Amino acid sequence: MDKFIKWLEEYYAPVATRIGDQRHLKAIRDGVVSLIPLLLMGSFFLIIAFPPVAGLAKMVEPYVGSLCSVNNATMGLMGLMASFSIAYSLAGSYKMDPLGNALISVATFMLATPFTKDGNIASAWMGSKGLFVAMLIAIFVVEVQRYMIKKNLVIRMPEGVPPAVARSFMSLIPGFISISVVWFINSMLSMSATNLQDIIYKILAAPLLSLGGSLPAFLLAIFFAQLLWSVGIHGAALVGGVMSPVYLTLAQQNAAAKAAGLPIPNIICQQLWDVYGNIGGSGATFALAIMLLTIARSKQLKALGKSAIGPAFFAINEPILFGMPIVMNPVLMIPFIFAPLISITIAYFAMDAGLVDKLFVMAPWTTPPIINAFLDTGDIRAAVLQIFCFFITGAVYYPFFKMWDAAKTKEEFGAAQDAKAKSNLTIGV
């Protein structure tokens, strides 16, 4: 095990860190993360539109359309907003004009989007369906401008001109080229009765959603995230930087289907990880926190349990990760990796069998257990399932916890004996 941890430290962690720090992936992650407040607000109105109590549902029924319009203006515009936020983030990382690039990215995204026959914006492409086009266009726009600035193919205004005006002229030629290229490609595609959005969705987005939406791929992503946490790197942030567009797209599809009164299509989504894989924080450590508080014999671990139980209610478990510790601990990293995998697998098959409703609302990740399962589904059975998963994760942690507790108790007993011996020696002198 020591050799394995050393291998993780020397080879796995540096590579994972470099991938996580890759500029374009980081811009996508930051751009998508900036949309989360909007997604949460959209989810909040979905809860009101579809309350989990039959009497309330009857009361709000006349207002469902109006309430869902908020969801359409937030989650439903995920793609459009991502074209702005990703370009803004990427341009900022290059120390270029973020606002100018973001605006050109939005204009280019709109140009790539087909309009309806009567000239209206096709709202279907504004949400999750257009997210991958938004990502590509944002990167394209910024890279075109970076290249032209590097080659000095931009209009530079003389000194004394206000900076805002100078930046506008500097982005003029690169923006013209970006828009012209997308316009030309889309015009050529329109002759074949298709468009850039549709082509990219079929070639890139649909396969990625199909692959990322499978249980094996989902478990593999969580496995890598937990492995990174085991060596002290924020695995969820790194893996999420790559996979969050997929999981958020699947979540938005569920919300849109619920708002339209259609069956919820996806089991795999961001909430599945939050609700069933992160019970008490990464590694589903809530059961471990309770064991530390209630049955630990070691004074150190019991004290840790007292300090960790409060944050654990809000899915914050850094006190346990670094205080127990789980990080770089060959004993505890095994249940830490496998407990969430087992919990999520159980939840997946429960939903697949129709025993529990699928997730369509996105409650904040800090929402306490049981409440988040109920809010995200409107189904009390989801809360029961989460309690069941809590006991399962506890069973996974228990033997490793007992082993660690025994070692710590023995260590404390030895230290106490040494202190007593020293005390007797001092008295004898």
Side-chain angles (χ1 to χ4, degrees), residues 95-336:
K95 309 296 182 191
M96 293 162 49
D97 176 23
L99 184 58
N101 278 277
L103 292 173
I104 293 172
S105 177
V106 169
T108 311
F109 175 80
M110 293 301 300
L111 194 59
T113 303
F115 284 73
T116 60
K117 290 181 180 177
D118 50 1
N120 293 320
I121 295 173
S123 60
W125 294 106
M126 294 292 106
S128 60
K129 201 172 181 180
L131 182 59
F132 289 88
V133 175
M135 289 160 48
L136 293 177
I137 282 180
I139 292 172
F140 171 70
V141 166
V142 175
E143 289 298 335
V144 166
Q145 179 149 169
R146 185 177 75 91
Y147 176 81
M148 297 195 71
I149 290 175
K150 187 177 177 182
K151 297 295 181 182
N152 202 25
L153 299 174
V154 293
I155 300 173
R156 294 187 183 277
M157 300 302 288
E159 291 186 8
V161 173
V165 177
R167 285 197 299 270
S168 298
F169 274 90
M170 185 175 286
S171 64
L172 187 60
I173 297 177
F176 179 81
I177 290 176
S178 297
I179 287 177
S180 298
V181 168
V182 172
W183 168 79
F184 178 77
I185 294 173
N186 220 27
S187 298
M188 292 295 104
L189 291 174
S190 66
M191 295 179 183
S192 304
T194 185
N195 57 78
L196 198 56
Q197 288 264 23
D198 193 41
I199 290 289
I200 291 177
Y201 185 80
K202 288 177 179 173
I203 293 176
L204 177 65
L208 274 177
L209 291 172
S210 178
L211 179 63
S214 68
L215 180 62
F218 193 62
L219 294 179
L220 191 63
I222 295 170
F223 175 81
F224 281 119
Q226 298 304 111
L227 203 57
L228 286 167
W229 262 124
S230 299
V231 292
I233 297 173
H234 199 305
L238 281 181
V239 174
V242 179
M243 298 305 296
S244 60
V246 173
Y247 300 148
L248 290 176
T249 297
L250 297 172
Q252 198 274 333
Q253 288 177 356
N254 284 359
K258 183 68 178 180
L262 300 172
I264 297 173
N266 306 308
I267 296 176
I268 301 294
C269 58
Q270 183 62 45
Q271 301 97 306
L272 181 63
W273 193 342
D274 294 340
V275 172
Y276 296 104
N278 286 342
I279 307 172
S282 293
T285 55
F286 194 64
L288 178 61
I290 290 181
M291 285 190 276
L292 288 170
L293 182 67
T294 55
I295 61 175
R297 295 173 57 198
S298 161
K299 294 177 181 176
Q300 176 191 337
L301 295 186
K302 190 170 278 293
L304 177 64
K306 290 177 182 175
S307 62
I309 192 67
F313 275 104
F314 304 97
I316 296 169
N317 63 350
E318 273 78 0
I320 293 179
L321 292 180
F322 298 100
M324 200 167 177
I326 290 176
V327 171
M328 305 301 291
N329 187 328
V331 175
L332 293 170
M333 65 188 291
I334 294 173
F336 179 74

